[in-house]
Amino acid sequence: MKKLFIVLSFVLPSIEMQAQNLRLSGIIKDEQGQPLKGIVIYLYPASRQATTDVKGYFVFNNLSAGAFEIQTGHESFKALQFKSELRSGNLHFPFILHRLPHQLAEVTVKDKHIASRRQEESLNVEVVTADFIQRNLGGSLMKTLERLPGIKTIGIGSGQSKPLIRGLGFNRVVVVDKGVKHEGQQWGADHGLEIDQFAAGEVELIKGAASFVYGSDAIGGAIDIEPARVPAPYTLGGSVDLIGKTNNNLYGTSVNLYGRKRDWFFDARVTYQDYGDYRVPNDKVYVYDYAVNLHNNQLRNTAGTETGLHLNTGYINDRFRSIFYLSNTYSKSGFFANAHGLEPRRVDEVLHDASSRDLLMPNQKVNHLKLINHTEYQLPGNRLEMELGYQHNFRQEFSPYVNHGYMPPVYPADLQIPASLEREFDKRVYSINLRDNISLGRHEVKLGANLERQNNDIYGWSFLVPSFKQSSTGAFVYDKYKLSETVLLHGALRYDYGQINMFAYQDWFNSTVTTDGVTAMEKLTRAEDLSRVFNSLVWSAGLNYNPAGGFSLKANVGKSFRMPIAKELAANGVNYHYFSYERGNPALSPEQSYQADLSLAWAAPGWSVQLSPFYNYFPNYIYLNPTAAHDYFYGAGNQVFQYAQSRVERYGGELQLKYQLLKNLTTEVLAEYLYAKQLSGEKKGYTLPFSPPASALFNLTWSPKLKGRFEDSYFSIDYCITAAQNNIVPPEKKTPGYQIINLQAGSKVRIHKQAVMISLQAQNLLNTRYLNHTSFYRLIELPEAGRNIVLSLKVPFNVQSQTHKQQNN
C-alpha cells in the first residue's frame, strides 16, 4: 500500500529568533473536494511529523516566525510549491492535490482511509465500498452486507430485509443515511428498509453499542451509509447499471448523471427494479401443518417493484460546503398468500398461479421521502457541521376483509375506510444534528447535539398500535487523546431526554359488554391516552494500541440506552403476519445495556487475522413473551404475547483470517458465534428471539492478471457452513444446520477508455433446501430461495473531464 508524503521545508530565521508559539495548519483535498486522510506530513528542519485526520486537516503548533516553503511530491500527484512567511498569529492553508492522468489514485486513498478508520476507532468498525456492493449484490442493501461476520438479516421475501448486528435488530440498530437517522416502520419484522443500494457510496458498520454518537436505538450498533463522492471540478458524466436475476426473474437498472463546475455540482440517479415470485427448492410447504402445493416451486404473490429517485446538489469550496440530498423510494411487494391473515386456506391459488408477476392481495405499498441538508465550515483548528432532515414514511398494507370477534360479518358499505386497507402508517420526522470537531494539540474533541420530532398517524380497519408523537434530544462530548504515536485513548459522555405521547383508539364496530349483569353494545377503547418521559446518561471509554510490527489492539467499554417504542408500550391487536395477539406494557422502563468489546489484529506480508470478542449485559431487556392465554374476542383464538422485561447476558465474537496462498490466490475465513441467555423472568434460562446460530464462511479467490482489455479480474467461491440452532425460545422452532456454496466472478473490461464492470454470482449453487433461523417465514417451515444467478453490469461514461477543461482553457 502506498503512502502519500508532503514535505514542508522552512527557510530558517536568524538564530536569535526565539520560538513564539505560532501555529501552521492546513486542509488537504483532491480535485473532487474530498479530504485526503492519513497523509503523512514531515516538517524540516524541526523533524516534526503530523498526519491528516478524516477531514484532511493537519496542524503544527509551537513554531517560530520566519519564511517557509511548502513542497509536495508523490508519483500519484502533480508537484506543488508554495512560499509564505509566518510572522504572528496563526496561518491556515487549503491545498488541492491534482492527480496525474495515468493514476487511478482514488483506490489508494480509499484503502488508506479505511485502514486508518479501523485503527483509530475503539469500537469494532467495518467499512465497505461501492465495489463491495457491486460484487455481492443481494436483494437489498442489508442482504448484501450479510456476507460480513456479525451481520445477519431478517429476510422478507426476495426484496426486503432488516439488519441484525450480533443478533440485535429492529429498534436496537440505527441506520444512518447521509448523516440523518433513517426512520421508517422498523419495529415490524415485515418492515424492510427503504434504502436504494445503488445510491450508496461507502457503508460503515459499527458492531456494538454506539449510543453515545447516535442516541437511543443504537444499543446494538449502527449502519452509516455515505453518499457517492462529490464529482471532480469541471466534469460531466455518469453510469448505467444493469442487473438481472434468474430465481425471481428480476430485471432492473440504475442510471446516474453528475456534473460539476468549480464550486457547484449535481448528482442524480433513477433506479427501477421489477421481479416475480421467487422459487424455493420445494414443491410443497406446510403452514402450521396445512399442506400448500407450490406451482413451479414459486411462492405465490411474492412479486414486486421498486423505484428510487435521487438528486444531490450543492456548493463546495475549500472551507465551506452545503449539500442538499433529495430522495424518494417507492416499493410495492406481496406477502406469501398462503401465510398471511386469519384464513390462509382461503386462497384462490388458480388466480395467483395464472402469472408469476402479478401482485394481488395481501400486499404492501411503501413510500419514503427524504430531504436532507449537510453544511460544514472549516476553521483553523475546528470544523462545524450541521444536518437538517425531513422524512415522510407512508406505508399501507392491503388484505381482504376477514371478520373476527365482534367485527361485522359483512364489511359496512358506509364505512369511510376502504375494505382492502388493513393498516396504514403515516410517519413524519423532523431532525437536526449539530457537531463541532476541535483539534487541541493531542486532543480531538467532538461536541454534538441531536433533536428529533416524530408525528405518527394510523388508519385502516385493523388495529395494532395507536397514533403517537415522539420527541427526543441528546448532547454528547467525545475526546480522542493521542497519548503517544502508538496509543489513542477515547472517552465519551452523552445525555438523552425523550418523550412519547400516545393517543386513545376506539373500535369502529360495537362489542358486547356486560357490567354488573347489564349487557350493552359499545365501541371499546383499545388504547388509552398515555404519556411517558425517559432520560439517561451513557458513557464510553476506549483504547487503541498500534505498535510497529503489524499488531493492533482495540478495547472499549460502555453503557447505552433505548427508549421503549409505541408497539412495546401500547400494542393491542392481531399481528396477522405471525398469527398472534400482541399486548403492550405501559409500565416498561427504558433498556440499559453494558458492553465490553475487544479486537486483536495481526497483519504481515501475505496474511492477516482479527479476533473480536464481546460481552453484553442487559439489566432490563424488553422482549415479547408468549403467554398461556388465547384471545377469542379480538384475536380469533390466537395466542396472546405480552411485552415484558428481564435480565439478559450475551457474548460471542467474530474471526477474520486472510492468507495469500500464491501470488494471485488468496483464502479467507469469516466466522461468528453468539450466545444469549435470559437471567430472569418467565423465560429464564431461554435465549432471545432471532438469535443467529454459529456460522463460518470459507472463501478461495483467484485474481489473475489477464492480458488485453481485462483488469481487476477475480474468480471466487464461498463455502458457507451454519450450525444448527437448538437454543431457542418458544414459539421458535429448532433449526437444523446447513451448507451452501456461492460463486462470484467479475472483471473490468476496457472499451474505448471506459472500464465496464461485469459481475456474475451464483447464489445457492447446488439449489440446497435449508431453513434460515432469522427469516421472517421461519415459523412456517418455509425454506430459503433456491439457486439464483445474478448478472450485473456497470457502464460509466464521461462527457467532459478536468483534463479536457484545462486543455480548452
Side-chain angles (χ1 to χ4, degrees), residues 6-27:
I6 295 178
V7 179
L8 282 70
S9 57
F10 278 68
V11 177
L12 289 177
S14 64
I15 60 174
E16 290 83 4
M17 186 75 70
Q18 298 181 353
Q20 299 180 13
N21 295 324
L22 305 181
R23 183 166 74 168
L24 171 67
S25 62
I27 185 170

Side-chain angles (χ1 to χ4, degrees), residues 308-326:
L309 303 174
H310 309 268
L311 175 62
N312 309 337
T313 185
Y315 176 87
I316 295 176
N317 65 24
D318 294 331
R319 292 194 178 188
F320 175 80
R321 63 171 52 198
S322 184
I323 303 175
F324 287 88
Y325 302 98
L326 176 64

Side-chain angles (χ1 to χ4, degrees), residues 181-186 368 391 393 427 429 452 454:
K181 184 164 70 172
H182 178 86
E183 288 284 3
Q185 306 295 336
Q186 59 261 39
H368 196 101
Q391 301 177 68
N393 183 276
K427 171 179 284 191
V429 184
E452 182 182 273
Q454 295 186 20

Side-chain angles (χ1 to χ4, degrees), residues 573-585:
V574 179
N575 188 333
Y576 294 101
H577 307 298
Y578 276 135
F579 305 95
S580 62
Y581 192 93
E582 298 182 7
R583 288 179 182 161
N585 182 351

Side-chain angles (χ1 to χ4, degrees), residues 660-666 703 705:
Q660 187 169 348
L661 298 170
L662 300 171
K663 181 179 179 181
N664 298 320
L665 186 66
T666 60
S703 304
K705 301 297 183 182

Side-chain angles (χ1 to χ4, degrees), residues 111-141:
D111 285 347
K112 181 62 179 176
H113 159 66
I114 294 173
S116 299
R117 177 73 173 136
R118 289 171 176 165
Q119 285 185 345
E120 295 178 6
E121 290 299 320
S122 61
L123 293 171
N124 197 306
V125 175
E126 293 283 350
V127 183
V128 300
T129 64
D131 288 341
F132 176 93
I133 298 173
Q134 173 81 14
R135 183 166 171 168
N136 299 278
L137 276 175
S140 64
L141 177 59

Side-chain angles (χ1 to χ4, degrees), residues 596-629:
D597 282 274
L598 181 67
S599 180
L600 302 170
W602 296 266
W607 65 274
S608 64
V609 61
Q610 179 176 314
L611 178 64
S612 305
F614 71 91
Y615 179 82
N616 192 200
Y617 172 72
F618 287 85
N620 54 354
Y621 185 89
I622 299 173
Y623 70 103
L624 190 58
N625 179 41
T627 71

